Amino acid sequence: MHGLILAGSGASFGSMKGLIPLKYDARDRVYQRHRFFGRSATLPTDLMLPGVVSDRNQLNSQFCTAYTTCALAEREDNKAYSREYQAQKTSLILGHDIASTGADLRSALKVAIEYGLLPKDRSPFDWKLVRDGYAANPQNWPEQADKDA
């Protein structure tokens, strides 16, 4: 069985930053105070989901949040999605290139909700061929990608 493991460790490797920890958000307190059958709700730090993912190897890129968001949607929709599109839209809303800094999960999920996900076969390029910095730069993307997402 193939699966996806989501870990909340925020591990870094050498100079790579990867997952950026979430900043405090007052809306998070609502979930912290939530009671479920007399106990506080406890969310898992790791989650294993069944299914197949189109591409699980982010190599040495900072696209961990793009990979995770696309992998979750792929299991739900049974379609392959572009990690490059997700990365460039995350760069756009954060105002910096995530290829060199990474991103937080809240921003990555916000991108999926606000912009949608681009089917992988509609992506104009593969970051493994053009560099992750090029793929994460919103200026390199054609307007058609937004229409296809």
Side-chain angles (χ1 to χ4, degrees):
M1 175 165 87
H2 296 286
L4 168 71
I5 297 175
L6 300 179
S9 67
S12 63
F13 301 94
S15 63
M16 297 177 69
K17 299 208 190 273
L19 177 64
I20 295 175
L22 290 175
K23 293 179 180 167
Y24 176 77
D25 185 318
R27 294 171 293 181
D28 293 338
R29 292 196 62 176
V30 173
Y31 299 107
Q32 292 170 356
R33 289 185 302 202
H34 176 69
R35 299 284 178 189
F36 185 76
F37 297 112
R39 294 185 7 206
S40 295
T42 304
L43 299 176
T45 56
D46 297 335
L47 174 65
M48 181 68 169
L49 298 173
V52 178
V53 177
S54 68
D55 184 359
R56 293 186 294 187
N57 190 355
Q58 75 179 57
L59 299 173
N60 62 348
S61 76
Q62 299 293 313
F63 289 0
C64 56
T65 57
Y67 270 74
T68 300
T69 305
C70 290
L72 289 169
E74 286 175 356
R75 283 182 169 72
E76 182 71 23
D77 302 340
N78 201 26
K79 290 171 141 178
Y81 291 109
S82 168
R83 279 87 171 124
E84 297 84 1
Y85 182 79
Q86 175 72 14
Q88 67 96 4
K89 286 299 184 189
T90 305
S91 293
L92 180 69
I93 69 164
L94 289 176
H96 66 266
D97 175 8
I98 71 162
S100 59
T101 61
D104 65 88
L105 283 173
R106 187 176 286 131
S107 297
L109 294 172
K110 181 179 179 179
V111 165
I113 292 167
E114 289 189 12
Y115 295 100
L117 296 167
L118 180 68
K120 194 171 191 168
D121 61 356
R122 301 282 179 103
S123 183
F125 43 75
D126 180 336
W127 76 264
K128 294 172 185 171
L129 302 175
V130 299
R131 294 187 297 105
D132 53 347
Y134 184 87
N137 185 340
Q139 295 177 351
N140 296 329
W141 282 78
E143 289 181 25
Q144 185 63 42
D146 288 334
K147 294 174 185 171
D148 293 341

